Amino acid sequence: MAALKLPHSPRLIHGRQSLVPFPASTMLFPKPPSSPLSNYSFDTSSGFLTRTLALFSPGIVVCKNSSLRGVRGNLSRIRSASVQRVAEELVEDQSKYSLVSGDSIRQRFLDFYASRGHKILPSASLVPDDPTVLLTIAGMLPFKPIFLGKIPRQVPRATTAQRCIRTNDVENVGRTARHHTFFEMLGNFSFGDYFKKEAIQWSWELSTKEFQLAPERLWISVYEDDDEAFEIWHKEVGVPVDHIKRMGADDNFWMSGATGPCGPCSEIYYDFHPERGTADVDLGDDTRFIEFYNLVFMEYNKKDDGTLEPLKQKNIDTGLGLERMARILQKVPNNYETDLIYPIIEKASALANISYPLADEQTKLKLKVVGDHLRAIVYLISDGVLPSNIGRGYVVRRLIRRVVRAGRSLGIKGERRDDLEGAVLPIIAEKVIELSTHIDPDVKIKAPRILEELKKEELNFVQTLERGETLLEKMLVDASSNAEKSGTVPCLSGKDAFLLYDTFGFPVELTTEIAEEQGVTVDMNGFDIEMENQRRLSRAAHNVVKLAVEDGTNLMNNINKTEFVGYDTLSTQAVVESLMVNGSPVIQVSEGNDIEVLLNKTPFYAESGGQIGDHGFLYVTGGEKQQTAVVEIKDVQKSLGDLFIHKGTIKEGVLEVGREVEAAVDAKLRQRAKVHHTATHLLQAALKKLISQEISQAGSLVAFDRLRFDFNYGHALTDAQLEDIEQLINGWIEASTSLKTKVMPLNDAKEAGAIAMFGEKYGEQVRVVEVPGVSMELCGGTHVSNTSEIRVFKIISEQGIASGVRRIEAVAGEAFIEYINVRESQMKNLCSMLKVKAEEVTTRVEKLLEELRMSRTEVANLRTKAAEYKALMISNKAFEVGTSQKIRVLVESLDDVDADSLKAAAENLIDTLQDPAAVILGSCPDEGKVSLVAAFTPAVVDLGIQAGKFIGPIAKLCGGGGGGRPNFAQAGGRKPENLPSALEQAREDIISILSQKTS
């Protein structure tokens, strides 16, 4: 293969210079690095390298006329001498091997399209600004509003390297050569600019000229009715007819949903085995082909009746899978063995003391899972998604658990670094972070928080796994017991196996293995049903990008964006552009109706960036400036980009479209919002200064009565830390510092050190709010002019709201005075009730609590004595069971005795009846509650009867459960009406068991 084209100069990616200039020489064998290179082996059956060389730059490494000695033993783990000779020949023959780094492929793709008029845009977050999807699953998702016509295009052409997450096929990760949870989609987009011809020609030029793919190895698919695309590929590009396949709508007609933008697509496939010929070719054959480039020609709108109408603006949406192209160019058998993922696999292999080339397929599968999932986990946490049991957080938690399971089964041990307390994921994740430079530079900045979250989640899950082992043991005992009673073969239900898999992280293979050791089978059909149900839910949640040509598009075509003048004034004259009632446009609305109003300009701030919308009024005046209508505004929201929706109620008169109104913001409430917003900036600055620079915002609320600030931090703040934060902020307030606000390019703002606020979406020009010497943030909210306007700041609470997320609530300014007044009123009421002065309240309350504690202790003692007396009265109801050994048994109900007293009664009865004895008691202490206890003496336990296992099934009859030690166990339930029958069952069971044991 001829030398690949190299760009002449470095380019910017993701906002920074990512590549060193490529050398002028077209054929270079790089100097050996200071550290040993990665090892690789050669698979003679597939003709692929199964391990890759370490890369020294984002450039291309091409081996020419070089011996293995120059690579410092790079092929040291080749499996045989004959295979090594094959590898040597491969290295010596440049036409059989060339290696291109993933970073180079990414950059060269962007450079290629930049040279053709496309603007390079940074990757969007994995957390999309789109309520219809959970995560960013496609390269086109950030441009969805443009495709819908909701917002105008900023550029006619764009190109991106978009980070994506898909988990709908997570079970296929490692099993196929191409499935991933995290991947990069390289894309070029046209927003009403070029169309089919240019998209096709450039994709071919990129593939065959820039990346030097052999044209004879490329196959094309087109939609079966897309003659235009077929003709372009064949007549203008020159692809032979026998390499173009017409395919149906299922494969080659892209649709966003039941309705909305859609169009035919065309795909480029790479052929790994051209020797198989062109007859009866199936492009879906993964053993031969891989689709690496998809071109979507978005030219139609599908209407409700199913008909297609041409779009006024035709768009191009393409996607080239970076990992797939790396696999092709690096000549490895799967995506996992490219330089994008393989270094992570190597790290995991080293920790497990495993040689990846020599490992069996099952071991390789687990290593691939580790390599793939940790990429997804690291980038998700970096983008602010923390492990939890809902939404995006559950995606992270589930992936972490899969990695922990895989690591444990590989034998990866955690006793390596004291600071990690046995956790191993952070050690492997360090490699992911090391590789992140050209993907997302922010990952390295956030590395400490990422590693801390991984450590905490892993250690917590290991404890969960251990609890799962205990639960599995109980499930197997129950399965054996039930089978013994019914005379069937012991079987663990599919639902139980799935519970262990999904909640406790038990691989079903491990469950099956442990079960078989105890003679129990597993209902795999039931497990598969539960698994498929979850997959369906996962696909519904993760893998649909909904696009629809909504009524709002027409609305936007008829109404210009709202001009916001609220930074400079709190009132202005405006014109009513549109009125809506219950979402439907109207011309006129009368008094008493709730309404949504669109104005041509407004001083009202619309809710965004955590700050709630302004309140105020719209006034309509008639002759001699008399008011003819009054609308009270209680909320303002943004819609369709820059349209401000004023929500309120008509208090007087009639409002019509086209009327001029005076829009007036409530000045007092606006001031409160300004005070709390600036105080929020000061709070974040104080947390970074006093607690940790790694703290980042995870959410906020700027309201009229308080502020709320959520931040990523793993520990509760102490009272002393909170006092220090308050003191620092109040010092900044007292300093009377004037704020500075200015608009500048986004990149300039970031280079100046401005912090992005959570939830904000930024354009190329951003507003920067600075408290000189204290904080600088990108923020579109309203702020005070001088810190002295805040007056005072007070933290009212600090608490954890999720794993690794803390929340501070505070008040400032007028809201602080209200807060103090309420507390003062409450204190006066307490003083009046307790008949003490304010300074004596604490002492008086402590004394009352002590008296209450003593009273409760006295009552508990009385209840215990009463229970013991009842026990004494029923002790004569004990009966004997057994022939070779007489065991005294007592099964009774003690009415409404509480759980603690029931326990005391059982212990007293055991002492009274003496060894050997068995006591089972029940009671209904409260409405809807059941208490049970089982106490066995040592002689009974020696017979193999355990109180914990005995009481569990009895408790289930009362709608509950429980367990305990072999000699003593407690349980509870929620069905008091079942207690008599449950105790009768307990009586029958204990008699039967003891009779068998002592016969």
Side-chain angles (χ1 to χ4, degrees):
M1 180 182 289
L4 301 182
K5 287 186 177 181
L6 305 178
H8 299 296
S9 60
R11 291 274 184 173
L12 293 178
I13 179 171
H14 303 305
R16 62 167 50 194
Q17 189 161 310
S18 61
L19 301 181
V20 297
F22 287 101
S25 173
T26 57
M27 286 292 187
L28 293 177
F29 193 86
K31 295 179 180 180
S34 57
S35 59
L37 294 175
S38 303
N39 299 308
Y40 67 85
S41 60
F42 183 77
D43 189 335
T44 53
S45 63
S46 67
F48 284 124
L49 293 169
T50 58
R51 300 192 70 179
T52 61
L53 290 166
L55 300 173
F56 321 114
S57 75
I60 306 164
V61 178
V62 181
C63 302
K64 180 182 181 182
N65 300 326
S66 302
S67 68
L68 292 177
R69 290 187 297 274
V71 196
R72 292 189 177 181
N74 222 23
L75 304 175
S76 59
R77 297 189 187 180
I78 300 299
R79 281 170 283 186
S80 68
S82 61
V83 175
Q84 181 164 335
R85 284 194 297 274
V86 174
E88 289 175 348
E89 293 170 3
L90 184 68
V91 174
E92 290 171 353
D93 184 353
Q94 69 173 54
S95 66
K96 294 182 181 179
Y97 177 62
S98 66
L99 184 63
V100 181
S101 76
D103 286 337
S104 172
I105 297 169
R106 182 192 306 107
Q107 188 62 53
R108 294 171 67 204
F109 179 96
L110 296 173
D111 287 343
F112 179 88
Y113 282 104
S115 68
R116 288 156 180 78
H118 293 66
K119 183 174 180 60
I120 299 177
L121 297 178
S123 171
S125 168
L126 290 172
V127 180
D129 185 25
D130 185 334
T132 68
V133 287
L134 202 62
L135 296 164
T136 298
I137 61 174
M140 57 74 63
L141 191 63
F143 304 113
K144 173 181 170 181
I146 300 176
F147 289 138
L148 285 175
K150 286 186 173 183
I151 62 174
R153 69 183 190 183
Q154 300 299 314
V155 293
R157 306 175 181 184
T159 183
T160 63
Q162 177 61 49
R163 305 187 304 275
C164 299
I165 293 282
R166 290 184 189 173
T167 59
N168 55 304
D169 290 323
V170 67
E171 298 299 330
N172 286 328
V173 170
R175 299 183 186 278
T176 71
R178 58 183 175 82
H179 277 93
H180 298 292
T181 55
F182 175 88
F183 59 95
E184 288 186 79
M185 189 60 73
L186 310 180
N188 57 287
F189 306 91
S190 167
F191 311 114
D193 186 21
Y194 65 84
F195 196 51
K196 205 172 290 187
K197 179 179 179 180
E198 293 87 348
I200 289 174
Q201 290 177 334
W202 287 338
S203 67
W204 185 259
E205 184 181 352
L206 176 81
S207 302
T208 60
K209 301 288 179 62
E210 180 67 30
F211 290 132
Q212 293 284 297
L213 298 182
E216 62 272 16
R217 282 182 176 263
L218 301 185
W219 287 69
I220 308 299
S221 71
V222 298
Y223 178 52
E224 56 191 357
D225 295 332
D226 192 356
D227 295 331
E228 180 185 6
F230 188 98
E231 292 299 314
I232 295 172
W233 281 115
H234 176 51
K235 293 185 177 180
E236 300 195 33
V237 174
V239 178
V241 172
D242 62 3
H243 272 57
I244 306 175
K245 299 280 288 185
R246 292 182 182 265
M247 301 178 74
D250 288 344
D251 297 302
N252 278 67
F253 195 89
W254 181 86
M255 295 186 61
S256 60
T259 61
C262 58
C265 60
S266 185
E267 296 157 330
I268 308 179
Y269 291 78
Y270 185 80
D271 186 356
F272 292 110
H273 295 284
E275 71 279 1
R276 296 181 186 177
T278 59
D280 300 322
V281 165
D282 176 12
L283 295 181
D285 180 2
D286 284 348
T287 66
R288 177 175 178 179
F289 296 102
I290 186 170
E291 174 212 333
F292 66 87
Y293 208 166
N294 183 26
L295 316 177
V296 176
F297 312 124
M298 203 179 299
E299 56 183 316
Y300 300 112
N301 174 46
K302 186 174 183 181
K303 299 165 68 174
D304 290 335
D305 61 4
T307 60
L308 301 178
E309 62 178 6
L311 287 173
K312 295 179 181 178
Q313 175 178 293
K314 296 181 179 181
N315 304 307
I316 289 293
D317 159 27
T318 79
L320 181 148
L322 174 60
E323 291 79 8
R324 299 184 182 198
M325 182 57 81
R327 172 193 173 188
I328 295 169
L329 295 180
Q330 295 176 17
K331 299 185 182 297
V332 292
N334 55 69
N335 297 0
Y336 303 95
E337 296 182 36
T338 67
D339 69 317
L340 295 165
I341 304 175
Y342 192 71
I344 310 167
I345 293 176
E346 279 191 309
K347 185 75 172 182
S349 299
L351 291 174
N353 197 25
I354 291 171
S355 169
Y356 178 86
L358 302 180
D360 57 48
E361 290 306 312
Q362 191 63 24
T363 299
K364 286 184 177 180
L365 167 63
K366 294 171 182 176
L367 287 167
K368 291 172 184 176
V369 167
V370 172
D372 170 89
H373 286 12
L374 266 176
R375 291 212 307 165
I377 293 163
V378 165
Y379 287 100
L380 280 168
I381 294 177
S382 176
D383 279 352
V385 183
L386 301 179
S388 70
N389 287 328
I390 59 173
R392 301 180 183 101
Y394 180 67
V395 173
V396 178
R397 175 159 287 169
R398 186 181 179 210
L399 293 177
I400 289 175
R401 291 182 171 189
R402 284 176 58 84
V403 175
V404 171
R405 292 200 311 262
R408 284 167 68 93
S409 64
L410 288 168
I412 296 178
K413 302 298 182 182
E415 304 83 14
R416 297 178 182 272
R417 279 179 21 192
D418 293 339
D419 60 319
L420 296 180
E421 301 175 26
V424 296
L425 264 58
I427 300 175
I428 308 173
E430 287 173 346
K431 178 59 68 173
V432 181
I433 293 169
E434 178 185 324
L435 296 171
S436 70
T437 302
H438 305 299
I439 303 173
D440 181 7
D442 287 345
V443 170
K444 289 188 176 180
I445 298 172
K446 299 173 182 177
R449 179 165 62 87
I450 294 170
L451 298 178
E452 180 63 26
E453 284 296 331
L454 278 172
K455 168 188 166 183
K456 181 170 59 177
E457 185 69 13
E458 179 182 354
L459 295 179
N460 287 341
F461 180 51
V462 168
Q463 294 179 350
T464 302
L465 271 176
E466 292 170 352
R467 291 196 299 271
E469 291 170 350
T470 303
L471 178 60
L472 174 57
E473 181 182 353
K474 182 179 182 302
M475 288 177 172
L476 295 176
V477 170
D478 289 345
S480 298
S481 176
N482 293 334
E484 186 177 347
K485 291 178 182 178
S486 60
T488 58
V489 176
C491 181
L492 185 69
S493 73
K495 185 169 289 188
D496 282 346
F498 185 76
L499 173 68
L500 289 165
Y501 167 83
D502 193 49
T503 303
F504 295 94
F506 261 65
V508 70
E509 298 83 4
L510 179 59
T511 299
T512 303
E513 181 180 335
I514 296 173
E516 288 177 350
E517 291 174 357
Q518 301 190 31
V520 179
T521 61
V522 177
D523 177 14
M524 289 305 301
N525 288 333
F527 176 85
D528 291 340
I529 291 172
E530 295 293 328
M531 177 67 78
E532 185 56 34
N533 288 339
Q534 187 197 61
R535 283 175 179 159
R536 280 201 297 269
L537 291 174
S538 178
R539 291 189 187 104
H542 297 301
N543 204 35
V544 178
V545 179
K546 294 183 179 178
L547 291 175
V549 179
E550 303 167 295
D551 292 339
T553 305
N554 296 326
L555 184 63
M556 185 176 177
N557 290 335
N558 297 323
I559 299 176
N560 295 322
K561 68 178 183 179
T562 309
E563 179 187 356
F564 177 61
V565 296
Y567 291 136
D568 304 315
T569 182
L570 294 183
S571 67
T572 189
Q573 294 298 121
V575 176
V576 177
E577 296 271 332
S578 176
L579 297 174
M580 290 181 288
V581 175
N582 297 324
S584 299
V586 294
I587 301 298
Q588 184 184 83
V589 187
S590 58
E591 182 177 325
N593 286 291
D594 292 334
I595 190 172
E596 296 179 346
V597 184
L598 277 68
L599 305 175
N600 65 330
K601 63 180 177 179
T602 182
F604 285 83
Y605 181 83
E607 180 177 332
S608 62
Q611 181 176 333
I612 66 174
D614 279 329
H615 291 191
F617 291 89
L618 303 180
Y619 300 106
V620 180
T621 57
E624 298 181 0
K625 296 187 178 180
Q626 291 183 349
Q627 293 180 1
T628 61
V630 177
V631 182
E632 184 179 13
I633 302 300
K634 287 293 187 181
D635 187 22
V636 185
Q637 297 287 330
K638 278 188 180 180
S639 178
L640 303 176
D642 291 316
L643 294 181
F644 285 46
I645 310 297
H646 304 73
K647 299 183 178 184
T649 304
I650 298 185
K651 295 297 185 180
E652 298 177 21
V654 176
L655 186 63
E656 299 175 339
V657 173
R659 274 299 189 105
E660 186 174 77
V661 299
E662 180 188 356
V665 173
D666 186 318
K668 290 184 178 180
L669 294 182
R670 165 66 78 85
Q671 181 64 19
R672 285 175 171 236
K674 289 163 62 176
V675 163
H676 281 144
H677 207 149
T678 305
T680 301
H681 285 211
L682 298 182
L683 174 57
Q684 178 163 223
L687 287 167
K688 286 180 171 290
K689 183 179 181 67
L690 297 178
I691 307 302
S692 171
Q693 281 294 327
E694 300 304 322
I695 281 178
S696 61
Q697 184 176 339
S700 70
L701 172 68
V702 175
F704 304 133
D705 61 338
R706 72 192 189 283
L707 68 88
R708 186 179 71 212
F709 185 77
D710 301 338
F711 58 99
N712 297 305
Y713 192 62
H715 310 287
L717 302 187
T718 65
D719 290 341
Q721 287 175 320
L722 294 174
E723 289 177 7
D724 289 343
I725 290 169
E726 282 184 355
Q727 185 175 358
L728 179 59
I729 293 174
N730 283 312
W732 287 334
I733 293 170
E734 187 178 357
S736 300
T737 304
S738 294
L739 275 71
K740 296 180 180 179
T741 60
K742 53 185 174 182
V743 176
M744 63 175 69
L746 177 60
N747 287 337
D748 290 352
K750 289 185 175 180
E751 288 177 4
I755 299 172
M757 291 288 283
F758 181 87
E760 282 289 324
K761 187 176 181 180
Y762 303 105
E764 292 189 8
Q765 295 290 315
V766 295
R767 183 169 180 262
V768 178
V769 176
E770 181 182 9
V771 182
V774 177
S775 76
M776 180 189 293
E777 300 191 12
L778 307 182
C779 183
T782 61
H783 289 270
V784 299
S785 300
N786 189 287
T787 57
S788 62
E789 295 178 41
I790 301 174
R791 298 159 67 183
V792 67
F793 174 88
K794 175 66 179 176
I795 294 174
I796 59 177
S797 70
E798 190 276 341
Q799 61 181 330
I801 60 170
S803 175
V805 181
R806 309 296 301 177
R807 169 173 290 172
I808 287 179
E809 293 199 8
V811 290
E814 196 68 27
F816 168 79
I817 295 174
E818 284 185 355
Y819 173 81
I820 292 299
N821 287 340
V822 170
R823 296 308 181 273
E824 184 178 4
S825 175
Q826 292 171 340
M827 178 60 75
K828 286 180 179 179
N829 290 335
L830 276 175
C831 291
S832 176
M833 292 169 59
L834 299 175
K835 310 294 185 189
V836 295
K837 297 177 181 179
E839 60 269 22
E840 297 172 348
V841 167
T842 301
T843 302
R844 179 60 176 148
V845 171
E846 288 176 348
K847 184 176 180 181
L848 288 174
L849 289 174
E850 178 60 22
E851 290 175 0
L852 179 60
R853 186 189 64 79
M854 293 177 64
S855 296
R856 285 177 173 172
T857 301
E858 186 176 347
V859 170
N861 290 336
L862 289 173
R863 285 179 175 173
T864 299
K865 289 180 180 179
E868 291 174 350
Y869 176 75
K870 287 182 179 181
L872 182 62
M873 296 298 292
I874 64 172
S875 61
N876 58 0
K877 294 184 179 181
F879 55 92
E880 293 185 344
V881 176
T883 54
S884 62
Q885 182 181 14
K886 299 294 183 181
I887 299 174
R888 287 169 290 282
V889 176
L890 181 64
V891 182
E892 289 294 333
S893 172
L894 290 185
D895 302 326
D896 59 353
V897 171
D898 64 88
D900 289 338
S901 299
L902 195 68
K903 174 185 175 184
E907 292 171 342
N908 185 270
L909 282 167
I910 283 293
D911 291 338
T912 301
L913 297 176
Q914 298 184 344
D915 199 11
V919 174
I920 297 101
L921 301 178
S923 68
C924 300
D926 292 302
E927 185 177 352
K929 286 188 177 181
V930 174
S931 291
L932 292 163
V933 64
F936 298 162
T937 60
V940 174
V941 175
D942 289 344
L943 293 174
I945 308 171
Q946 297 186 11
K949 293 182 178 180
F950 179 84
I951 202 66
I954 304 303
K956 285 184 178 180
L957 300 176
C958 296
R965 304 187 306 274
N967 66 317
F968 196 91
Q970 288 181 282
R974 300 179 303 277
K975 298 179 179 179
E977 65 274 13
N978 292 355
L979 179 59
S981 59
L983 288 176
E984 185 58 35
Q985 184 65 51
R987 184 189 303 272
E988 294 176 5
D989 290 350
I990 195 67
I991 291 173
S992 173
I993 295 171
L994 290 175
S995 297
Q996 292 178 12
K997 298 288 186 180
T998 60
S999 60

